[in-house]
Amino acid sequence: MSYLEYNTKFVPTGVRKLLYLNWPLVLLLIAVACAGFLMLYSVGGGSVTPWMEPQMKRFALGLAVMITVAMVPIWFWRNMAFVAFGGSVLLLLGVEFFGEVRMGAQRWIDLGFMRLQPSELTKITLVMFLAAYYDWLPLDRKSHPFWVMVPVIVILVPVALVLQQPDLGTALLLLMGGGAVMFLAGVHWAYFATVVTAGVGGIIAVLESRGTTWQVLQDYQYRRIDTFLDPTNDPLGAGYNITQAKIALGSGGWTGRGFMQGTQSQLNFLPEKHTDFIFTTLAEEFGFVGAITLLVLYTLIILFCIASAMSNKDRFGALLTLGIAVTFFLFFAVNMAMVTGLAPVVGVPLPLVSYGGSAMLVLMAAFGLVQSAHVHRPR
Amino acid sequence: MKRPPKDVIQSSRIIGRRALVVGGLQLGVMGIIGFRLRDMQIEQADQYRMLAEENRISMRLLPPARGMIFDRNGIAIAANEQNYRVVMVREDAGDIEQVLARLTEIIDIPPDALTRAMDEMSRRAPFVPVTILERVSWDDVAQINLNTPVLPGVQAEVGLSRYYPMGEDMAHVVGYVGPVSDYDLSQIDDPDPLLQIPRFEYGKTGAENRLEEDLRGSAGTRRIEISAAGRIMRELDRQEGIPGKDVQLAIDARLQSYVQARLDGESASAVVIDLENGDLRAVVSSPSFDPNMFVRGISVADWQALMENKYRPMAAKAVQGTYPPGSTFKMVTLMAAMEAGVITAEDTVYCPGHADVSNIRFHCWKRGGHGNMNLHESMKQSCDVYYYDIAQRVGIDKMAEMARKLGLGVRHDLPLSAVATGIAPDREWKATVRGENWRIGDTVNASIGQGYVLTSPMQLAVMTARLATGREIKPRLIRLIDGVEQPSGLGPSLGLNENTLRRVRASMDAVCNHNRGTAYGSRILAEDRKMAGKTGTSQVRRITPEERAAGVIRNEDLPWERRDHALFVGYAPVENPRYAVSVVVEHGGGGSAAAAPVARDILLQAQYGGPPPLDAYPSNLRDQIAEQQRRIADRIPAGTRSQGRA
């Protein structure tokens, strides 16, 4: 396949590409990031240090990365998909052997200037690889059992490695993200129905296996499930986080307690208030209005991605855009479900808002891919 | 390989359809999250808001000021003084060692206090104020305030602590407070939350302990905002507590101080009762101790000195101590016999110096004997044989009954620690307590207040008060609590024969005022202020027949702890009695020599409300008394020194 396949007649070139960026999407990303800066300023006790300032610098870097990625033609990225995915699987193997143990799980590789979380990278490269795979696969083979098994195995390799770390949350996100791309590519309904049925059966098996010799999950993972089902069981231990988070969120009311007036976050009752639980700070200080506003901003990002994909006749570009949108959606939906007590605490940050380096950079690079697909789409 | 356009169009259609499905699912999930937010933030907002407030707000107790204790004339006995303490907050201080070094240049801090503070600071959270030194003088506080700029994190705080202005004079009555201990808490069913405050002052002994509930008051509250780590962020509001109730004692502080000084550090005790209402004008145990030592935290050396002192300064002998009453019990024997009708006042008993009862010889204190004795003479001269005889006639049970009627062998409910019950023995008592049969020899011993009989000075004073009035007088220590008058101690008539009482009183008059009476040497000359009473000398050892044959060893030749107890009970004035007194000098020797003069001085002091004129005393004693009065005047605390006649 070469770029001659693309009808490049209307594709902008050079600096003119900047004009053809999906600017509403850029503005939405900036708006969400600004909400994050505001909350980091608040939980920092009304100070740009220690969180707001580094986060702003990182976001600026992220914007630069996004635009750089967007400038590169999409067919280059399609050709790079296999290399990128292979590289991130190697990195995942790397953490197995050289990773630093942190918070009880091996997740990081220290590159000196930043700590890289290969599982973050894998979420995007997996989507890239699957989009490229379905771009290459002739349409009539997409539901053939053999050609379905190939991407399934490709998905299961990083999932198995991430589970090994162990990081159940990311493994599930990879599984759902990969599955979503397969679904979007048009793989037959029946496969998904089977998998969902098997999944429900599997969950029941996992819960039933507890305490037996063939116990599937680690004890701490079972405890998280217990805590999720009834946080009041253990209000000072594992349930403390979720209980305090719900109190913070609920006490926000309609319009919140006011900027920097949230007692739960300002008085340190909230755990991880600058990372995984930052949404509760926002919901506490700006109330229902603030929380829904952020939710709407996220929704708009998803909608703009879907719109961009639907106007894109290039299969790789469309699948990549939708896959990244789904991954992004899974991030914030799981985080919000987690802090509102709808899902167990799995340690997923709120994208673009939570304090964190590698997650944000990877995400901005992913939106760079979305932009590249948008700029270089055949019209 | 050029892709056929049809393929591209079909692929776009598939992806478009599936994208709509996925987008719809995503919107659905976001809808669920939105609903969940609405549910929590709008429907249940109040409930979560309340939980957040509970998290944030902590109640802290404000200790109330402890009630004061006054004497009957309003002289402060237990007060609260402001005391300053130096505290330091680690995180404000920065370089702790440097700040402490500067602080030691300004005020004097003992090295052990310094190491203790350093140790505590390293253990506690950095924002917790740690006390470096307590009871800092105002001068030091001023110095610290002046040097605030170079002493970051150091502050002088003010608090209230108990202070006993009368020092040792009231120690056994009011007791003392100390930091509440785990043991104290374990003794209470439902402890006041105040008691959980570290180092909260709690009444340990005496009235401070027994009136704890009244004196404590109730806590105020302070609502503060705290962080998850427990740091106090700010105060939201405060409600002051209710101070403890003030208590006025029946004690006359000036008389109390006088008696303390008069006992002069001897191992002795004295009780003065006002016959009008049972008011305890003085309850003195000697020697005493300074209760302020306990409030501040007593040093090991001081504690050991108190414990090793053979005169037992910590013991409230006036109410806790029990002694064989000796001859002061003779009134009980006499009253029992007269009330039972087994003798008349004129019946005589011949005293040859001893009596033989069931083959045991019981001796009279006078070796040669007293000859023929009747009621009046036997009391005046304190003949023992007369009582051996009448006791056998009346029997121990009637004697015990009379003893209890007069207030011996029963516990008087006073708000003091360890009030002794004493023993008024009878057959039943010996059977249950000792598991033995009562012997006639026991009755003989009991008739002169020896053997099993044990009484406290308080009980002896009550007995005297009841004999002097014929009424059931109950001792009253507390006059007012929070301005409310406590029930008077003046009870109904005891129903004793008035003639008998008159004869007994007349004989007690003779003891002091007849020239053959045992306390004639301690008589009061002042008209209308004369004293009546009874001496007592109680043995604490057995005198063997061999010793008796060789001549009884004189008290002065015995070691202190084997000497006789000296006792005296009395009242004054003889006509219209107003005050009853009991004096017990442990191992003091004879009652007439060691106890009666003390009782005389106390009764004079009480009646005059200050130092009596010298002409109240027999002329041969006046020089000695004048010297004694000067000595005592120097010892009485300035605040309670008498302002002339009351």
Side-chain angles (χ1 to χ4, degrees), chain B residues 322-334 365 378-379 382-384 387-388 399 408 423 425 443-456 460 463 518 534-540 564-569 583-584 589-591:
Chain B
T322 54
Y323 308 89
S327 298
T328 57
F329 193 73
K330 284 175 179 169
M331 279 86 83
V332 175
T333 312
L334 200 57
W365 66 268
S378 71
M379 277 287 280
S382 204
C383 168
D384 292 339
Y387 294 90
Y388 297 157
M399 284 162 60
L408 307 180
I423 300 167
T443 307
V444 172
N445 271 329
S447 70
I448 58 160
Q450 295 280 162
Y452 298 120
V453 189
L454 285 176
T455 61
S456 71
L460 290 174
M463 174 191 80
T518 51
K534 182 73 192 83
T535 56
T537 305
S538 67
Q539 262 171 238
V540 293
D564 298 338
H565 292 316
L567 297 93
F568 187 85
V569 299
V583 175
V584 175

Side-chain angles (χ1 to χ4, degrees), chain A residues 74 77-78 124 127-129 131-132 181 314-326 366 369-370 372-373:
Chain A
I74 189 67
W77 295 118
R78 186 192 63 198
I124 303 306
V127 169
M128 276 174 82
F129 179 84
V181 176
D314 172 31
R315 188 141 52 136
F316 174 72
L319 278 177
L320 183 66
T321 304
L322 289 171
I324 286 169
V326 167
L369 294 174
V370 170
S372 172

Side-chain angles (χ1 to χ4, degrees), chain A residues 255-266:
Chain A
T255 54
R257 320 267 329 235
F259 183 53
M260 300 196 33
Q261 303 296 312
T263 56
Q264 288 286 102
S265 30
Q266 300 298 335

Side-chain angles (χ1 to χ4, degrees), chain A residues 135 183 187 244 264 267 340, chain B residues 3 11 18 30 36 55 228:
Chain A
D135 184 51
F183 179 81
V187 177
Q244 295 299 338
Q264 288 286 102
L267 301 175
T340 49
Chain B
R3 209 172 265 172
S11 146
R18 290 280 169 107
M30 285 187 257
R36 175 69 173 177
N55 259 345

